[in-house]
Amino acid sequence: MDKKTELIERLNAETKEERLEALREIKKLHDDGILPAPPKTQYVNNHIHTIYSFSPYSPTKALYMAWINGLKTAGIMDHDSSSGAKEFIEAGKILNMPVTCGIECRVDASATPLNGKKINNPDQISVAYVAMHGIPHQNIDAVNAWLAPYRAHRDERNKKMCANITELVKGAGLSLDYEKDVLPISRHSEGGSVTERHILFALAKKITARFPDCKDVLNFLMNDLHIPVSEKAQGQILSGKENPDFYEYDILGVLKSDMVEKFYIPATNECPKMADFIAMTKKFGGISAYAYLGDVGSSVTGDKKAQKFEDDYLPLLFEVIHEQKFDAVTYMPTRNTREQLDRIMKNCHDYDLFEISGEDINSPRQSFICKALDDPAFAHLIDATYALIGHELAATENIDDAMFSDKTKKEHPDLGERIAFYKKKVLG
């Protein structure tokens, strides 16, 4: 194994100290001209998951992957956890790369007019994915402490879902134990969250151990679990031995696309009320964002069926976003049609909402590059990213200088002017 390969592997080492030291060594090799400089692009991404929710990347490796692909900035976004944020910030200092920190969670929208609707969660009605962007660094631990009880409630539901899966697969001699099979592939002990993806990834590992041949794995998925598998996914699984880094993630994608509804237990206590989430975000100086999904035709990530989500009631959705006092809407330009994106951008403009972009990264097949940002229609999303970074830096110095604090909104009531003000803090 050559030095570069060894160092890249160490970016996913067991401890953050080992990971960050490997990054320092890699950066020095680049600085000394031994390794080539990464490409220079305009691309940004504010929605990268790490091992503290579900991802093949530690916070250090996630930022390295963003940097080596030429991204100008990057943002960490883990489910129900900010445990990786400090490492991400330190990695940014090593690479001299501006970063942002956020968390994503599911909230209970049953006390709003969205009650009874499929919002942006494919598994449960009346529950919505939302994000807190731009966490001031002095409040990273406070945000994580606020989320801790919700992670604990999720643990209890996870155990029950593992029992449900065991009932589904026991005929093949398989079982799934939460403590023995799932927790070891998470960062639960460090305050990381454990998601349905962890559960299904553990199942994928059980399946590949039970069926060493790729054809037998595919047969089990299609004929025993009765999961429809697309031609593309079939090809990926059948070439699994040639692509070992992707193999279990490809199986996970197939399982998540169709199996969740067979073992899923509705989330209750682990979902804060929407109003409580927004109040927490304001208290700790972050930016509250609704995460638009939109109707799904062909799933970019391969783990969602064709389904309808918010598009049929978009006017109501934005009324609720406004009434609940969200600061922003976050969306992924590569995942939606231009028609969908035009509608979202118009509504954000009409309701004076900050627009944040980010491509959800949680699988090794996903690209860190969002080429949709080449379109001049999305240039404002790059400006918004720098404003987001400027907000985070300012709020870390003084929380009253957060982008959506009462003080700031009084001093800079026009959102466009405010975006320019915070962007200037980063770019000068």
Side-chain angles (χ1 to χ4, degrees), residues 238-361:
L238 290 174
S239 65
K241 298 303 181 185
E242 302 161 25
N243 299 288
D245 291 342
F246 299 154
Y247 186 38
E248 289 171 341
Y249 287 92
D250 290 336
I251 296 170
L252 161 64
V254 168
L255 293 170
K256 191 172 187 304
S257 71
D258 200 78
M259 191 180 177
V260 174
E261 61 194 36
K262 299 173 184 175
F263 67 82
Y264 187 81
I265 295 171
T268 53
N269 294 337
E270 73 198 59
C271 298
K273 300 292 185 186
M274 184 177 281
D276 291 343
F277 166 82
I278 292 170
M280 179 276 293
T281 301
K282 184 173 179 62
K283 175 182 177 182
F284 293 133
I287 295 174
S288 58
Y290 174 82
Y292 170 74
L293 178 61
D295 296 352
V296 173
S298 177
S299 173
V300 172
T301 53
D303 62 5
K304 293 181 181 68
K305 295 185 291 187
Q307 294 181 77
K308 294 186 71 63
F309 290 96
E310 312 107 314
D311 288 345
D312 281 349
Y313 56 90
L314 213 56
L316 173 63
L317 174 69
F318 272 86
E319 286 176 19
V320 172
I321 290 171
H322 175 70
E323 289 168 2
Q324 293 290 314
K325 298 184 179 179
F326 277 96
D327 302 315
V329 171
T330 178
Y331 54 89
M332 296 175 257
T334 63
R335 295 207 183 186
N336 298 110
T337 66
R338 185 56 183 268
E339 183 182 8
Q340 287 175 307
L341 293 167
D342 285 343
R343 286 199 303 267
I344 288 300
M345 290 189 289
K346 182 180 186 305
N347 275 280
C348 286
H349 179 269
D350 290 347
Y351 282 92
D352 206 28
L353 290 160
F354 188 40
E355 296 173 52
I356 302 172
S357 71
E359 297 294 319
D360 197 344
I361 302 290

Side-chain angles (χ1 to χ4, degrees), residues 33-169:
I34 297 169
L35 292 176
K40 293 183 178 180
T41 77
Q42 64 169 342
Y43 300 121
V44 299
N45 191 343
N46 301 304
H47 200 116
I48 301 172
H49 292 284
T50 78
I51 55 175
Y52 289 96
S53 51
F54 185 84
S55 172
Y57 309 116
S58 71
T60 299
K61 187 166 184 183
L63 196 61
Y64 166 78
M65 293 294 292
W67 179 76
I68 203 65
N69 278 284
L71 268 67
K72 300 286 284 185
T73 75
I76 188 172
M77 181 61 62
D78 280 321
H79 290 282
D80 303 336
S81 175
S82 58
S83 291
K86 291 181 179 180
E87 178 184 343
F88 200 77
I89 292 165
E90 186 60 31
K93 292 176 182 176
I94 293 168
L95 295 174
N96 194 29
M97 184 175 181
V99 302
T100 67
C101 301
I103 59 95
E104 182 177 13
C105 71
R106 292 172 293 186
V107 297
D108 178 3
S110 61
T112 78
L114 300 179
N115 183 43
K117 294 187 177 295
K118 180 178 283 189
I119 310 173
N120 58 6
N121 184 339
D123 304 315
Q124 189 172 342
I125 62 170
S126 307
V127 170
Y129 281 99
V130 296
M132 176 184 186
H133 280 278
I135 303 173
H137 299 172
Q138 71 273 27
N139 285 333
I140 287 171
D141 290 339
V143 170
N144 217 25
W146 190 87
L147 291 166
Y150 299 106
R151 292 195 298 269
H153 286 304
R154 189 168 196 165
D155 282 339
E156 296 307 310
R157 186 174 65 94
N158 284 342
K159 293 174 188 176
K160 295 175 183 177
M161 290 195 294
C162 286
N164 286 352
I165 288 175
T166 294
E167 286 299 308
L168 293 171
V169 300

